Amino acid sequence: SGMQTRPRRLILAEDHPMTRMGLRLMLDNNPDYCLVAEAKNGQEALDAVAEYHPDLVLMDIGMPEMDGIE
């Protein structure tokens, strides 16, 4: 059918800049996702969730300050 679904709003939480950049490039080329924010640790991810209310959070489980599990 001709129905368009909106891209899923996504936050990317990853402390390694090169990994974050690679994931960002993959997401930028995928029309199903709209990257609304990036975070370098769990606390930044929580702040971004409160601000942007994403549909999904792609989170590294091993990060400084507060990890993805916390």
Side-chain angles (χ1 to χ4, degrees):
S1 76
M3 283 193 55
Q4 290 281 7
T5 58
R6 71 175 178 83
R8 289 174 184 87
R9 295 166 37 83
L10 177 85
I11 291 174
L12 172 59
E14 166 61 59
D15 61 318
H16 294 97
M18 293 299 289
T19 303
R20 198 169 59 245
M21 183 174 65
L23 290 167
R24 182 187 327 121
L25 288 171
M26 287 191 313
L27 291 165
D28 283 347
N29 290 319
N30 188 328
D32 293 332
Y33 300 99
C34 172
L35 185 61
V36 295
E38 295 181 24
K40 295 185 291 288
N41 60 55
Q43 185 59 57
E44 284 186 11
L46 284 176
D47 294 344
V49 166
E51 182 173 349
Y52 294 100
H53 305 284
D55 299 307
L56 301 167
V57 177
L58 181 60
M59 185 171 297
D60 183 0
I61 60 168
M63 293 184 292
E65 292 184 38
M66 178 187 293
D67 66 30
I69 300 294
E70 292 176 288

